[in-house]
Amino acid sequence: DETSLIASAARSGRPLRVPFVEQEAAYSSADPRARSAAIVPLAASNQIVGVVVVESDQPNDFDASTLTLLLTLSGSLSAVVQNQQLLD
């Protein structure tokens, strides 16, 4: 869905925190227990190669330090995804 928060993060290339998923019509989770989420685009060579979504069953569970950690990890994940795409 092009109007979802995940698509929005992918288009903008910027991470998003969703402190209360039940208040966001543009957020949909496969897990009904999800109460908050962090959405981090994976960028490699100035292209979005994927998006990581981390959910919690606790509201407002992701702070700035968690987002920083996810952004740090996203650099490595982006390289892995891009390398796999090159092999396919």
Side-chain angles (χ1 to χ4, degrees):
D1 180 1
E2 291 298 315
T3 62
S4 74
L5 289 178
I6 295 169
S8 176
R11 276 192 308 274
S12 72
R14 291 190 305 251
L16 293 173
R17 284 188 321 123
V18 186
F20 304 99
V21 297
E22 67 276 3
Q23 296 177 6
E24 290 289 346
Y27 187 82
S28 177
S29 174
D31 186 347
R33 298 169 298 169
R35 296 295 174 259
S36 60
I39 305 167
V40 180
L42 300 178
S45 301
N46 294 321
Q47 289 186 315
I48 300 300
V49 295
V51 177
V52 171
V53 179
V54 180
E55 295 178 325
S56 172
D57 62 357
Q58 300 298 312
N60 201 23
D61 203 22
F62 301 104
D63 58 14
S65 64
T66 304
L67 209 53
T68 298
L69 173 63
L70 291 172
L71 285 167
T72 300
L73 293 173
S74 74
S76 297
L77 288 172
S78 297
V80 169
V81 171
Q82 185 180 40
N83 287 339
Q84 184 60 44
Q85 288 175 342
L86 292 173
L87 295 175
D88 288 342

